[in-house]
């Protein structure tokens, strides 16, 4: 009766079952045991990686494999251990995988770090190094963990920092030079000092341009320095002239003051005004004050006598200009002082327009001095304007060498001409030779743009001609609509579509023509589309009728397929005659196809009705065959088998015919099932016993595994709960006993440390009881227990013999003992497990 519990596939009569796969050993092992020997080997590894790998691959104990895995670090050995152990020891496999992941991550970090170093080296060689590139490099390096490369990167980064610092110093120096030039222009220093400082600044700027980091200098900064240097250089002559004018005035004043002869005020004033104008400033004002004082000191009798006013002539108005005149004069002087020649010229024009004002000598001197200063500055402005015009001509000539877009080139040429006009306003008219050079350079630079724009204009003209041609074609098609009976509507639809597409693909057209042409095309296209839309509406009605006809067909009618094919052919004729708009055509076609599919589906349902009945007969006969096949796979006695065959024959003959294609197959299956009921009954009974025995062995092993893992305190994250349902069920008694044992161990594994320790203590406590029960069963079964259990065997032998003599049902008593043995939670080593399986095999063989 125990055959179905203990018999396994492949067992032969009289042959004991082989030992099971090695299970994890208990935490403590006696000296001289295999676990103790292997633990000693682990201690002797002493960092030998190759020996550690060989030990892991050969060891039977998971905790010893884990201890040896601490010595494995190289990628090759890690891969070897991981590939060999990943399905047998999850802890070691996870350790190997984590180390492999760490090594791969470190290698990836090294690669990223090396890429950053290569980029830094490339930046170090780049002439145009910018801070944003270095900032991006620092951002990339900040997320890289590669201490081995930190020294190399820091060295290159320090060199980059030095270059950036040098760029900052160089740019700051040029900015300071530009500021110094601006201050130098209005410093009021002598011309010699200005020339000396200008030369120093030019030398410093030349050194900056020759510096290794000169490429980092902004172009606008270099251009600004050049412009300021040219402006200050141009003002040197004006400063020298001003110094000469002041010296001449000083000498003349000294001569007047040292003259022994009487001085005439009008003569002195004329001579003073003939002198070159002095630059505005404190020195010129002081000289003017001294001259005014000298003129005031001349006695009245030496001044020019006033002309006698004729009798009856009204008295002349008092000398002196009005306040508006004086305001314009002051504004002109202020504008000249600030260098605003345009404003000064406007005020001078206002002064010239003020007629009838009688000026005092001092006011005349101020006006003459201001106009002289305006003339002098205008001359310098004209000279500076010519210099600027030369630079402007050079800039225009360089446009031909630049790869600019045509629109940008036209804008630049236009801006150059505007700047020329502005220079004419500020500096006066340019010489004819300069204007001819500038105009020729602008014409040469603008030539590609002119050709491009000419080409665009020709294209617009051509596009306008194409548009006119499309309009003419549309008008010709519209004329054909007069005879509606001869209109080819398909050709008309294609033509309208082609005209629309051609109009959408037209290029640019002049704005003045675009609106007119669009309106003309819209008007003529509306003439075409009106009748076309009407015709399409009628076509839509025809197709709606076809859809309704197909929907109204009776699928059961024998002529339904012919009517359906005729409707499809008619649909194709209508589609060829006049295609509708794409969306409308697709929508109606989907509706028509759905109606056709519905007819076919209904006919298929009716066609399959007869087949359904035959398939139901086949299903009934298949059920009979399946019931016979299922019975053939179970344990049946002769009476049950005969009754089953009679019932099957009655049902078989009562069932109707099956589909012809499956008739032979069904009959063959039926006869094979009948034959299998008798011939496979014993085999099915033995197979069921073997399956129950294997399931009992596997579930007992699973309980022992989880109890051993609980005792070892193992951290394996095995899915114990999922492994139990995967095993076949046992008889109720054994299923309940082993299920309770498994659930108790699983609960202890998930419990707190205190509860787990109590469970482990209970397992350890039941170890001796388990050995005692195994020994008792071995004595009862007559199995040798081994020399190490001879003393205990002698003690229990008498008791076992007495129990055997007093019991009349030895197998039943042994079955109860085996059930008690299965439900007892206890720790068992490999020897004990092997003894239990030998007991199962011996009792199963005797019961058979």
């Amino acid at each position: 009766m125990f055959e179905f519990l203990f018999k396994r596939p492949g067992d032969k009569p009289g042959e004991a079952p082989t030992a099971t796969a090695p299970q994890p050993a208990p935490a403590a092992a006696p000296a001289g045991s295999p676990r103790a020997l292997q633990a000693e080997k682990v201690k002797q590894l002493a960092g030998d990686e190759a020996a550690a790998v060989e030990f892991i691959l050969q060891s039977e104990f998971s905790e010893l494999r884990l201890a040896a895995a601490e010595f494995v670090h190289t990628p090759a050995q890690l891969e070897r251990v991981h590939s060999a152990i990943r399905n047998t020891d999850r802890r070691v496999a996870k350790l190997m995988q984590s180390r492999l992941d760490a090594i791969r991550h470190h290698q990836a970090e090294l690669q990223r770090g090396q890429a950053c170093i290569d980029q830094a080296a490339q930046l170090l060689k780049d002439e145009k190094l910018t801070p944003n590139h270095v900032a991006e490099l620092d951002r990339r390096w900040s997320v890289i963990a590669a201490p081995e490369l930190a020294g190399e990167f820091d060295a290159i980064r320090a060199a980059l920092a030095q270059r950036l610092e040098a760029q900052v110093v160089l740019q700051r120096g040029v900015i300071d030079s530009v500021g110094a030039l601006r201050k130098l222009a209005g410093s009021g220093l002598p011309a010699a000092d200005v020339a000396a400082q200008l030369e120093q600044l030019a030398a410093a700027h030349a050194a900056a341009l020759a510096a290794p980091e000169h490429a980092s200098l902004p172009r606008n900064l270099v251009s600004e320095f050049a412009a300021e240097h040219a402006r200050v250089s141009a003002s040197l002559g004006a400063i020298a002239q001003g110094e000469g004018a002041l010296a001449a005035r000083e000498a003349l004043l000294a001569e007047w003051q040292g003259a022994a002869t009487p001085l005439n005020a009008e003569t002195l004033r004329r001579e003073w005004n003939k002198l070159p104008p002095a630059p505005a400033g404190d020195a010129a004002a002081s000289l003017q004050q001294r001259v005014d004082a000298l003129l005031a000191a001349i006695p009245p009798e030496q001044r020019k006598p006033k002309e006698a006013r004729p009798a009856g002539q009204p008295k002349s108005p008092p000398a002196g200009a009005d306040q508006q005149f004086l305001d314009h004069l002051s504004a002109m002087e202020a504008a000249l002082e600030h260098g605003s020649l345009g404003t000064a010229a406007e005020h001078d024009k206002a002064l010239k327009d003020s007629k009838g004002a009688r000026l005092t000598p001092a006011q005349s001197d101020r006006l003459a001095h201001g106009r002289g200063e305006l003339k002098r500055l205008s001359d310098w402005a004209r000279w500076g304007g010519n210099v600027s015009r030369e630079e402007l001509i050079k800039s225009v000539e360089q446009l031909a060498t630049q790869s600019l877009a045509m629109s940008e080139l036209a804008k630049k040429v236009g801006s150059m001409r505007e700047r020329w006009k502005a220079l004419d306003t500020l500096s006066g008219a340019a010489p004819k030779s300069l204007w001819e050079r500038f105009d020729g350079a602008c014409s040469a630079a603008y030539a590609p743009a002119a050709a491009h724009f000419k080409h665009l204009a020709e294209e617009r003209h051509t596009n306008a001609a194409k548009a006119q041609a499309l309009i003419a074609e549309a008008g010709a098609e519209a004329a054909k609509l007069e005879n509606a009976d001869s209109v080819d509507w398909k050709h008309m639809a294609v033509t309208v579509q082609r005209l629309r597409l051609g109009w959408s693909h037209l290029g640019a057209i002049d704005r003045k023509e675009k609106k007119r042409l669009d309106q003309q095309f819209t008007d003529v296209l509306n003439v075409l589309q009106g009748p076309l839309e009407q015709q399409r509406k009628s076509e839509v009605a025809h197709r709606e009728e076809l859809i309704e006809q197909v929907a109204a067909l009776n699928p059961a009618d024998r002529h339904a397929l012919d009517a359906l094919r005729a409707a499809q052919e008619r649909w194709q004729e209508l589609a060829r005659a006049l295609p509708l708009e794409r969306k409308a055509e697709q929508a109606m076609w989907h509706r028509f196809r759905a109606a056709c599919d519905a007819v076919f589906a209904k006919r298929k349902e009716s066609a399959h009705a007869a087949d359904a009945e035959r398939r139901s007969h086949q299903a009934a006969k298949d059920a009979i065959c399946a019931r016979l096949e299922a019975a053939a796979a179970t344990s049946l006695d002769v009476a049950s088998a005969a009754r089953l065959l009679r019932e099957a024959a009655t049902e078989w003959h009562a069932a109707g015919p099956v589909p012809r294609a499956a008739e032979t197959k069904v009959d063959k299956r039926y006869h094979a099932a009948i034959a299998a009921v008798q011939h496979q009954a014993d085999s099915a009974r033995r197979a069921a016993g073997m399956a129950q025995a294997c399931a009992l062995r596997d579930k007992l092993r699973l309980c022992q595994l989880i109890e051993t893992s609980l005792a070892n305190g193992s951290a394996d994250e095995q899915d114990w709960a999922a492994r139990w349902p995967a095993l076949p069920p046992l008889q109720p008694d054994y299923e309940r006993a082993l299920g309770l044992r498994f659930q108790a161990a699983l609960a202890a594994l998930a419990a707190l440390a205190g509860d787990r320790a109590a469970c482990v203590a209970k397992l350890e406590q039941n170890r001796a009881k388990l050995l005692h029960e195994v020994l008792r069963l071995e004595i009862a079964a007559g199995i040798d227990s081994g020399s190490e259990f001879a003393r205990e065997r002698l003690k229990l032998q008498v008791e076992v013999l007495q129990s055997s003599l007093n019991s009349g049902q030895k197998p039943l008593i042994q079955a109860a003992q085996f059930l008690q043995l299965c439900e007892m939670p206890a720790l068992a080593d490999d020897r004990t497990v092997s003894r239990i399986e030998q007991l199962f095999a011996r009792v199963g063989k005797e019961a058979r």
Side-chain angles (χ1 to χ4, degrees):
M1 64 177 291
F2 289 99
E3 182 182 4
F4 71 96
L5 294 176
F6 306 108
K7 189 65 175 176
R8 294 181 299 172
D11 288 348
K12 297 180 180 180
E15 180 181 0
T18 58
T20 59
Q23 304 294 329
S33 65
R35 183 185 181 282
L37 296 176
Q38 293 188 17
E40 188 65 26
K41 287 184 180 180
V42 172
K43 296 179 181 178
Q44 297 175 0
L45 291 177
D48 189 353
E49 186 178 26
V53 171
E54 296 299 331
F55 178 83
I56 293 171
L57 299 180
Q58 297 175 4
S59 176
E60 303 172 354
F61 304 99
S62 62
E63 67 275 10
L64 297 182
R65 290 197 297 266
L66 185 62
E70 297 297 330
F71 303 108
V72 183
H73 298 285
T74 59
Q77 299 291 4
L78 290 172
E79 288 283 358
R80 180 184 175 190
V81 173
H82 180 266
S83 61
I85 208 77
R86 63 183 178 182
N87 294 328
T88 57
D89 194 332
R90 184 172 293 181
R91 290 189 299 172
V92 176
K94 288 179 64 176
L95 179 61
M96 298 296 103
Q97 185 63 49
S98 63
R99 290 182 179 175
L100 284 172
D101 293 341
I103 292 173
R104 291 165 183 164
H105 177 71
H106 184 64
Q107 291 176 352
E109 290 294 308
L110 289 179
Q111 292 178 357
R112 294 173 60 194
Q114 188 61 44
C116 279
I117 292 176
D118 296 340
Q119 182 184 2
Q122 187 66 27
L123 289 177
L124 191 60
K125 297 177 182 179
D126 192 358
E127 294 183 358
K128 297 182 179 180
L129 178 64
T130 56
N132 58 336
H133 291 163
V134 180
E136 178 65 18
L137 179 67
D138 291 341
R139 186 191 64 77
R140 289 185 58 189
W141 181 260
S142 64
V143 297
I144 296 175
E148 300 91 334
L149 303 177
E152 184 179 358
F153 179 80
D154 291 342
I156 300 178
R157 182 62 180 82
L160 291 174
Q162 291 177 359
R163 285 194 60 187
L164 291 178
E165 184 66 25
Q167 290 182 5
V168 171
V169 172
L170 185 63
Q171 294 179 11
R172 175 50 58 188
V174 176
I175 292 173
D176 293 342
S177 298
V178 173
L181 283 175
R182 290 172 178 170
K183 292 180 181 180
L184 187 61
S187 62
L189 295 175
D193 295 343
V194 173
Q197 293 187 18
L198 188 63
E199 185 177 357
Q200 292 178 1
L201 292 174
H205 186 67
L209 294 178
E213 300 297 333
H214 70 279
S216 64
L217 290 174
R219 293 183 180 179
N220 60 338
L221 191 60
V222 176
S223 302
E224 189 175 359
F225 181 87
E228 291 294 333
H229 185 274
R231 188 172 65 84
V232 175
S233 299
S235 66
L236 279 177
I239 295 174
Q241 288 182 2
E243 291 178 354
L246 287 175
R249 289 174 179 265
E250 182 71 30
L252 182 60
L253 183 59
E255 180 183 353
W256 288 347
Q257 290 176 349
T261 60
L263 300 174
N264 185 275
E266 293 296 332
T267 303
L268 293 181
R269 189 176 290 110
R270 284 193 301 269
E271 291 181 0
W272 183 262
N273 291 332
K274 289 180 180 180
L275 293 175
D282 295 339
S286 176
L287 284 176
Q288 187 64 39
Q289 290 177 0
R290 289 169 60 189
V291 170
D292 292 341
L294 178 63
L295 293 175
I298 296 176
E301 60 273 9
Q302 294 181 8
R303 299 180 182 179
K304 184 177 179 180
K306 296 182 180 179
E307 296 180 0
R309 178 170 56 88
Q313 184 177 356
K315 187 177 179 181
S316 61
D322 56 3
Q323 187 60 38
Q324 183 179 3
F325 186 91
L326 294 177
D327 291 342
H328 281 297
L329 182 59
S330 300
M332 184 179 72
E333 291 174 347
L336 290 174
E337 185 176 356
H338 291 88
S340 301
L341 296 182
T343 306
E346 291 178 359
H347 288 294
D348 183 54
K349 183 179 179 181
L351 291 173
K352 289 179 180 179
D353 293 339
S354 300
K355 298 181 180 180
R358 298 184 64 183
L359 305 180
T360 63
Q363 292 173 352
S364 299
D365 292 341
R366 284 180 61 191
L367 180 60
H369 175 71
R371 286 178 174 172
E373 183 68 13
L374 177 60
K375 182 179 182 303
R376 183 182 66 83
L377 293 180
S378 298
D379 294 339
W380 278 110
R382 186 176 295 105
W383 181 84
N386 291 337
V387 174
S388 300
R389 289 185 179 96
E390 290 286 351
E391 295 295 331
L392 194 59
I393 291 172
K394 291 181 181 179
S395 300
V396 174
E397 290 174 347
Q398 290 177 358
L399 290 178
T401 62
Q402 300 176 3
S403 300
L404 299 176
M406 295 297 104
S407 58
E408 185 178 358
L409 178 61
K411 289 181 181 179
K412 283 190 173 293
V413 173
S415 65
M416 296 295 184
R417 290 190 178 275
E418 291 297 329
R419 289 175 60 185
W420 185 276
K421 292 180 181 179
L423 288 175
D424 287 345
T425 303
L426 296 176
S427 305
K432 184 178 180 181
S433 59
L434 280 180
W435 162 249
E436 291 177 351
R437 284 181 57 197
F438 175 75
D439 186 62
C442 287
S443 299
Y446 188 74
H452 173 71
F453 294 139
K454 181 180 179 181
H455 177 67
L456 292 181
E458 293 176 353
E459 284 188 351
R460 289 194 295 271
H461 182 70
T462 303
N463 292 336
K466 292 179 180 178
Q468 196 64 48
L470 289 176
I471 294 173
E473 183 180 357
E477 292 294 335
K480 297 179 181 178
L481 294 176
E482 296 178 358
N483 188 5
D485 297 335
S486 62
V487 175
D488 186 354
W489 294 110
K490 180 178 180 181
H491 172 73
M492 184 64 66
V494 173
T495 301
V496 170
Q497 183 66 23
R498 180 172 53 81
L499 290 174
R500 282 181 177 176
L501 187 62
W503 190 267
S504 63
H505 288 173
L506 284 177
I509 301 176
D510 291 334
R511 292 183 179 179
K512 60 182 180 180
E513 298 289 336
K514 178 67 174 174
K515 186 175 182 181
R516 178 181 61 82
L517 293 174
D518 283 342
Q519 186 62 41
Q520 291 180 4
F521 182 76
T522 302
D523 294 340
V524 71
L525 196 63
N526 289 335
V527 174
L528 289 176
Q529 284 184 328
L532 182 61
E533 291 300 326
Q534 293 295 331
Q535 187 66 24
R536 280 177 170 170
K537 289 180 180 179
S538 63
E539 291 295 327
V540 169
H542 292 163
R543 298 186 192 188
E544 289 287 352
E545 291 178 0
L546 281 179
I547 294 174
E548 293 176 359
Q549 291 176 6
V550 172
L553 287 177
N554 183 11
D557 189 358
R558 58 183 297 182
H559 301 292
L561 288 180
D562 296 335
L564 190 61
R565 292 191 184 94
Q568 291 176 345
E569 293 175 358
R570 177 59 180 163
W571 185 280
Q572 295 297 330
E573 291 176 359
L574 293 176
R576 286 192 295 268
L578 176 59
L580 305 178
E581 292 289 343
R582 184 175 181 83
K583 292 183 179 180
E585 184 76 36
Q586 289 183 349
M588 298 196 71
W589 166 247
H590 288 319
R591 291 174 55 198
F592 179 74
R593 188 175 62 181
C596 294
D597 292 342
V599 173
F600 281 117
K602 291 178 181 179
R603 286 188 61 84
K604 184 179 290 186
E605 290 177 2
S606 61
H608 287 285
D611 293 339
E613 183 178 1
R614 290 179 176 270
R615 285 195 298 271
S616 64
H617 296 164
Q618 181 183 355
K621 291 189 176 182
D622 286 339
I624 296 172
C625 295
R627 188 165 69 252
L628 290 173
E629 291 169 352
T634 61
S635 177
L636 295 174
D637 53 14
V638 177
S640 299
R643 184 173 62 255
L644 178 62
L645 290 175
R646 287 194 302 270
E647 293 175 355
T650 302
E651 294 177 4
W652 183 269
H653 294 295
V658 301
R660 294 181 180 179
E663 186 174 358
T664 303
K665 181 179 179 181
V666 172
D667 290 341
K668 184 177 180 180
R669 181 184 178 186
Y670 172 70
H671 294 297
I674 290 177
V677 169
Q678 294 293 339
H679 295 290
Q680 299 298 329
D682 296 337
S683 299
R685 182 173 61 253
R686 288 193 298 271
M690 291 179 184
Q692 286 289 317
C694 292
L696 177 62
R697 178 194 62 198
D698 293 339
K699 290 199 172 182
L700 182 60
R701 284 181 182 176
L702 184 59
C703 293
Q704 292 170 351
L705 278 174
I706 191 171
E707 290 168 356
T708 303
S709 178
L710 180 64
N712 293 339
S714 175
D716 287 350
E717 299 178 358
Q718 299 189 22
D719 194 359
W720 299 104
R723 294 175 61 179
W724 182 268
L727 298 176
L730 303 174
Q731 281 190 348
D733 294 339
Y734 286 92
E735 181 71 23
R736 180 173 59 257
L738 289 177
L740 293 174
R741 180 177 176 182
F742 177 78
Q743 294 297 331
L746 193 62
L749 191 63
L752 299 177
D755 297 338
R756 186 183 300 178
C759 183
V760 171
K762 182 179 179 181
L763 294 174
E764 187 64 35
Q765 182 181 359
N766 289 342
R767 183 195 294 270
K769 186 176 179 180
L770 175 66
L771 294 175
H772 182 79
E773 293 297 329
V774 171
L775 187 60
R776 180 188 296 274
L777 289 171
E778 286 177 342
I779 293 172
I783 300 175
D784 185 16
S785 302
S787 59
E788 65 269 22
F789 299 104
R791 187 184 301 274
E792 291 80 358
R793 184 183 180 90
L794 290 175
K795 291 180 182 180
L796 293 176
Q797 192 169 9
V798 175
E799 181 181 352
V800 172
L801 290 174
Q802 291 177 353
S803 176
S804 299
L805 292 173
N806 293 333
S807 176
Q809 296 179 353
K810 176 180 177 182
L812 180 60
I813 295 174
Q814 288 183 351
Q817 291 178 347
F818 275 112
L819 180 61
Q820 182 180 0
L821 181 67
C822 290
E823 66 184 1
M824 181 189 301
L827 295 177
D829 54 9
D830 295 343
R831 173 62 175 159
T832 305
V833 172
S834 177
R835 291 168 61 196
I836 292 173
E837 291 193 356
Q838 289 179 1
L839 279 171
F840 280 25
R842 176 62 63 86
V843 174
K845 182 177 66 175
E846 291 178 355
R848 188 182 62 184

